Amino acid sequence: MVRGNSVGEFAGQYTQVASNLKDMIVQYKATSSAEIIAAGLAETGPDSAEVVVFLDQTVTNSNSQEPWVDRNRMQLSLVRDGGEWKLANVQLL
C-alpha cells in the first residue's frame, strides 16, 4: 500500500527498507497495529502538503512476552501526482 502511494526517492527508499525487514519480520513472528492519536495539516500549497501525525504502534514478536508501544511522531510530505496525493517523504520528529 505504501509503495503504490509513494513517489520519487522516497518510493525507492521504502522499497529497499521493506525488502530488508521482511525476513526479520517473518523470522521473529512480528506483528504490529497502529492507532492515530492526532493528525493535522502543517502547511499546504496547490500541489503539496505537510501533515504532522502522532501515531502509537503496538508491536509484538517472539523475543518479547509483552507487547510494547512505539510512540511515533512524524511529518509526512505529500505531493499531487496525476490528480492523486502521494507520499514524497517521511521525517520522524
Side-chain angles (χ1 to χ4, degrees):
M1 183 170 180
V2 174
R3 260 181 256 160
N5 290 302
S6 300
V7 294
E9 188 177 327
F10 177 77
Q13 290 171 347
Y14 178 82
T15 299
Q16 182 178 359
V17 168
S19 175
N20 292 340
L21 285 177
K22 183 179 178 182
D23 291 339
M24 190 182 320
I25 290 168
V26 171
Q27 178 182 354
Y28 293 105
K29 300 175 184 165
T31 64
S32 70
S33 62
E35 177 183 4
I36 296 174
I37 304 302
L41 191 58
E43 189 176 321
T44 187
D47 293 316
S48 65
E50 298 290 325
V51 178
V52 177
V53 178
F54 290 68
L55 177 90
D56 286 357
Q57 182 179 23
T58 302
V59 180
T60 63
N61 69 41
S62 60
N63 282 337
S64 175
Q65 292 183 356
E66 296 294 323
W68 70 91
V69 176
D70 282 337
R71 298 192 188 317
N72 297 295
R73 308 312 182 225
M74 57 189 80
Q75 184 165 333
L76 309 178
S77 299
L78 304 171
V79 295
R80 192 182 305 264
D81 180 58
E84 296 181 334
W85 288 98
K86 301 282 183 155
L87 189 56
N89 194 29
V90 174
Q91 178 182 350
L92 295 178
L93 304 174

